[in-house]
Amino acid sequence: MPLVAPFRTSFGVETARDVLLVRAATPDGDGWGECVAMSEPLYSPEYADGAAQVIERFLAPRLFAAGDVEPLDVARLLEPVRGHRMAKAALETAVLDAWLRARGESFGSYLGAVRDRVPAGVSVGIMDSIPALLDAVAGYLDQGYLRIKLKIEPGWDVAAVRAVRERFGDDLMLQVDANAAYTLADARVLAALDDFDLLLIEQPLAEDDLRQHASLAQLVRTPICLDESIESAKDAADALALGACRIINVKPGRVGGYLEARRIHDLAQAHGAAVWCGGMLETGIGRAANVALAALPGFTLPGDTSASDRYFAQDVTAPFVLEDGHVAVPTGPGLGVEPIADVLASMTTSTTWLPAP
Ligand code: SMG
Ligand code: MG
């Protein structure tokens, strides 16, 4: 799916989204799940084609072998396979969607949503120049986005943040995301961001640098938020106990599914730590579930839950739209949205059916 504009991060430029969707065909009806792995293993070790293969060879056979599978069984059945959380999450979501549709219950209701709409933030890529960045941010604010996240990397940090803060004022909710582009030796640059009253600095250091994030947290005043480092509720517990972060970006794909994502929400709430819902340039399928999760009570910061048109001219479902800076939580059974058949067909490059043995 072509993106409406290139999206540059510290690890690369995305111009299109290569999407892997999982459809679970069950006796009670279909369910859908979106795998958030990107086409290349640059954000994390998983990638879309690899996820398709691990589902086909190792994950789906375990579910088929188990026979009658309920959503709460999926993670346990897939546990013997190490890692591959994004692939596992897509399967669990498809099973959960089918199960909820059969029961007439929405994702939001099942997960424990307490809001019917969620405030929307937007993630703004690294640009060629500060004027281009200011134009992009102005455009998003005109559309009503309530929080801006700037992607940063060494060389595109303090000046970019200063320019946005000066142009749009102190009331703008502003945060940054480095996607692991810095080391502890850059602490001075990261501390310079303290002047700009940011909500948080997301994943400044490498994903396996929990201890160093804890050291960095002693050197900067801005709260540290972890994304790539948190792959499970256990990781979240360790990070909070170590003081490696005060805030967690919850991405259901990264942590193996919506049920584990909810556990992280519950754990963070018990710790008094804030969570917010991250994004992986999802289509309407993944977005529907993210928006439902973001409506839980502990999601107290706006998420990367933007409207469909921030990413795609044509979404695979009816588009999610921004209303007064918010996105509505779907209320229909399951995800509450489904792929539009002819749109899906026009975008599909390959389909593999895995028949139950
Ligand atoms: O879905 O709005 C979105 C993208 C939000 O910045 C975003 N995601 O590290 O949080 C992150 C990145 C990961 C994907 S970047 C290609
Ligand atoms: Mg991030």
Side-chain angles (χ1 to χ4, degrees), residues 11 43 123 149 151 176-180 202-203 225-228 249 251 254 276 278-280 304:
F11 61 80
Y43 164 83
S123 177
K149 157 167 142 180
K151 289 292 194 177
V176 294
D177 184 3
N179 288 108
E202 182 176 343
Q203 196 69 44
C225 168
L226 290 175
D227 172 355
E228 285 91 328
N249 167 335
K251 286 181 184 164
R254 196 193 64 225
W276 54 281
M280 290 293 287
D304 286 338

Side-chain angles (χ1 to χ4, degrees), residues 95-115:
V95 170
L96 181 56
D97 182 35
W99 189 81
L100 287 171
R101 280 181 207 265
R103 275 158 188 72
E105 183 173 11
S106 71
F107 252 72
S109 157
Y110 176 76
L111 292 174
V114 294
R115 289 182 279 267

